[in-house]
């Protein structure tokens, strides 16, 4: 395996919280409140998507570096019971590779406040896990699927697992993990001509499609803004075959702009993280598989929770660290700024 230098994120410096309001919630200096926790359970993945990682994979975290079941559940409990988190999204890497996944979800679902739970997966093995996950208390899933062409799927993912993803989608719907959402990234000259086919596929099967602009989170640092399919281009493609009207519901902190398809009830969303950033309403806080806290997907600094946790820190100390980290959150990710610096961690080590 060829080593890829992932770098070490800079540890966040102590933040001046003298102006922070006296509230337990995860407020920041711009009036936002983080209520959505994204938990990366593992950095490993069983696909090698070209826009995410090199063909040979990446240097994975060692088992001892990962939070164990008890540690992961403790931090989720603190977030929900003491910091006001209402939604918990489990991500990876590929979360279905984590052996204690069902146990973590069951423990989260059993918290007295009953947070809403969801999971983002590539769909491989979901046909086996969908029913147990639903029984454990998982509410819904997002499944990544960028193409409906088997050959293109193999080219994009470097794996011949297209049928497994389709089986996973069917199983998720059968298990009641709804709405089943499909995440798709369009790449210029690869699958950008499939926008309408993907939407038709989802509408016919009762899935909700979300197109996501490709983001600068690859370890190769090969992202090229000029090659990215923008939200405007996606909507232009879809508008050639479908009548799209803005969804009337309040968007709130949701990352996707939504449109009714041919008058509804089917809906399609577009997440324009680069060209239509939603930083002003962002309500997310992020925990990596190795216990690092991130205030933004594009953060270049992290707060270590694993170290204090393993050194005997009580809940009050972990709460303080979490609150300070979110208070220091930047106004936006700055992808369009001249001085933008891509995070040293790739997407697979951060969590979607």
């Amino acid at each position: 395996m060829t080593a890829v230098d992932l770098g070490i994120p800079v540890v966040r410096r102590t933040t001046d919280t003298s102006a922070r309001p006296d509230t337990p919630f995860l407020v920041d200096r711009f009036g936002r409140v983080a209520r959505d926790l994204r938990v990366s359970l593992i950095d490993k993945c069983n696909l090698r998507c070209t826009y995410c990682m090199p063909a040979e994979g990446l240097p994975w975290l060692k088992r001892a570096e990962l939070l164990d079941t008890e540690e992961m559940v403790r931090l989720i409990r603190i977030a929900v019971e003491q910091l006001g988190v209402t939604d918990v999204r489990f991500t990876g890497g590929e979360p279905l590779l984590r052996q204690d996944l069902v146990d973590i979800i069951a423990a989260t679902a059993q918290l007295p406040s009953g947070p809403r739970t969801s999971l983002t997966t590539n769909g491989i093995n979901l046909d086996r896990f969908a029913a147990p996950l639903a029984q454990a208390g998982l509410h819904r899933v997002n499944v990544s699927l960028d193409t409906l062409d088997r050959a293109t799927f193999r080219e994009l993912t470097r794996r011949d697992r297209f049928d497994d993803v389709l089986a996973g989608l069917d199983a998720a719907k059968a298990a009641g993990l709804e709405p089943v959402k499909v995440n798709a990234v369009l790449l210029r000259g690869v699958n950008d001509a499939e926008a309408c086919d993907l939407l038709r596929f989802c509408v016919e099967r009762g899935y909700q499609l979300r197109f996501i602009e490709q983001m600068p989170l690859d370890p190769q640092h090969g992202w090229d803004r000029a090659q990215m399919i923008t939200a405007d281009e996606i909507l232009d493609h879809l508008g050639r075959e479908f009548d799209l009207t803005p969804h009337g519901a309040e968007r709130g902190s949701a990352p996707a702009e939504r449109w009714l398809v041919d008058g509804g009830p089917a809906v399609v969303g577009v997440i324009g993280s680069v060209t239509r950033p939603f930083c002003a309403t962002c309500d997310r806080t992020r925990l990596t598989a190795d216990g690092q806290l991130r205030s933004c997907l594009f953060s270049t600094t992290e707060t270590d929770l694993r170290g204090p946790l393993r050194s005997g820190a009580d809940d009050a100390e972990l709460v303080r660290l979490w609150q300070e980290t979110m208070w220091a959150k930047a106004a936006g990710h700055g992808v369009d700024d001249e001085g933008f610096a891509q995070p040293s961690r790739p997407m697979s080590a951060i969590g979607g």
Side-chain angles (χ1 to χ4, degrees):
M1 176 181 292
T2 302
V4 176
D5 181 12
L6 302 184
I8 300 176
V10 178
V11 176
R12 183 188 59 82
R13 296 179 179 178
T14 303
T15 302
D16 179 6
T17 58
S18 58
R20 186 182 183 279
D22 184 17
T23 175
F25 299 134
L26 295 173
V27 298
D28 65 31
R29 295 165 297 162
F30 304 95
R32 298 168 297 194
V33 182
R35 299 187 183 278
D36 184 333
L37 171 60
R38 303 295 172 98
V39 181
S40 175
L41 295 176
I42 193 168
D43 60 328
K44 292 180 180 178
C45 187
N46 42 11
L47 296 181
R48 297 290 183 269
C49 296
T50 56
Y51 56 83
C52 187
M53 65 177 67
E56 65 271 19
L58 296 170
W60 310 122
L61 292 167
K62 297 179 176 62
R63 178 181 291 272
E65 296 176 302
L66 298 173
L67 295 177
D68 63 25
T69 310
E70 183 179 351
E71 292 168 336
M72 190 71 76
V73 171
R74 181 184 176 192
L75 292 177
I76 294 172
R77 175 185 59 77
I78 288 172
V80 172
E81 294 185 350
Q82 301 190 48
L83 296 172
V85 164
T86 58
D87 294 80
V88 181
R89 169 81 65 86
F90 297 99
T91 69
E94 174 45 51
L96 295 184
L97 295 178
R98 176 117 182 186
Q99 294 182 353
D100 57 353
L101 170 63
V102 174
D103 294 333
I104 292 174
I105 288 176
T108 302
Q110 290 166 12
L111 292 172
S113 55
R116 293 182 292 271
T117 57
S118 58
L119 178 141
T120 298
T121 171
N122 61 27
I124 296 174
N125 297 325
L126 184 57
D127 60 330
R128 295 193 294 109
F129 277 93
L133 289 173
Q135 291 167 5
L138 185 69
H139 291 120
R140 65 171 188 83
V141 294
N142 285 41
V143 179
S144 299
L145 180 63
D146 300 325
T147 177
L148 297 174
D149 181 80
R150 182 173 280 97
T152 303
F153 183 93
R154 187 167 55 248
E155 175 188 350
L156 274 172
T157 67
R158 303 185 178 103
R159 297 292 187 271
D160 190 10
R161 304 298 297 272
F162 178 70
D163 290 336
D164 295 316
V165 179
L166 297 187
L169 284 165
D170 288 341
K173 191 170 183 63
L177 295 173
E178 298 189 275
V180 176
K181 295 185 179 180
V182 173
N183 295 340
V185 175
L186 297 181
L187 304 177
R188 196 174 302 281
V190 179
N191 64 337
D192 50 324
E194 292 191 62
C196 291
D197 292 338
L198 283 162
L199 180 53
R200 189 173 299 105
F201 170 86
C202 289
V203 169
E204 290 174 351
R205 289 159 180 79
Y207 307 143
Q208 290 189 14
L209 180 60
R210 297 288 185 272
F211 288 104
I212 305 174
E213 286 183 340
Q214 184 188 3
M215 294 178 282
L217 290 168
D218 61 306
Q220 307 97 311
H221 287 217
W223 180 83
D224 181 353
R225 195 185 194 287
Q227 291 300 310
M228 180 189 69
I229 304 294
T230 67
D232 284 345
E233 289 179 277
I234 293 168
L235 292 171
D236 179 65
H237 282 306
L238 297 178
R240 297 170 190 173
E241 296 188 30
F242 299 94
D243 178 30
L244 302 181
T245 54
H247 197 286
E250 184 69 27
R251 180 180 177 184
S253 60
E257 295 180 79
R258 296 187 298 161
W259 283 265
L260 294 173
V261 180
D262 293 336
V267 175
V268 64
V270 177
I271 300 177
S273 301
V274 177
T275 65
R276 300 184 179 190
F278 43 91
C279 300
T281 58
C282 178
D283 68 344
R284 278 162 284 289
T285 182
R286 298 175 180 275
L287 180 66
T288 67
D290 57 343
Q292 306 305 303
L293 189 62
R294 300 174 64 87
S295 62
C296 173
L297 183 64
F298 293 94
S299 291
T300 55
T301 61
E302 297 180 340
T303 299
D304 178 28
L305 294 186
R306 184 188 63 197
L309 188 155
R310 292 182 176 177
S311 297
D314 59 14
D315 284 5
E317 173 64 8
L318 297 172
V319 163
R320 181 187 67 79
L321 289 169
W322 212 318
Q323 290 171 335
E324 285 186 1
T325 299
M326 297 312 297
W327 179 249
K329 182 172 181 172
H333 54 52
V335 171
D336 279 338
D337 296 343
E338 184 176 340
F340 172 75
Q342 182 173 331
S344 54
R345 283 187 191 255
M347 174 67 89
S348 63
I350 297 174

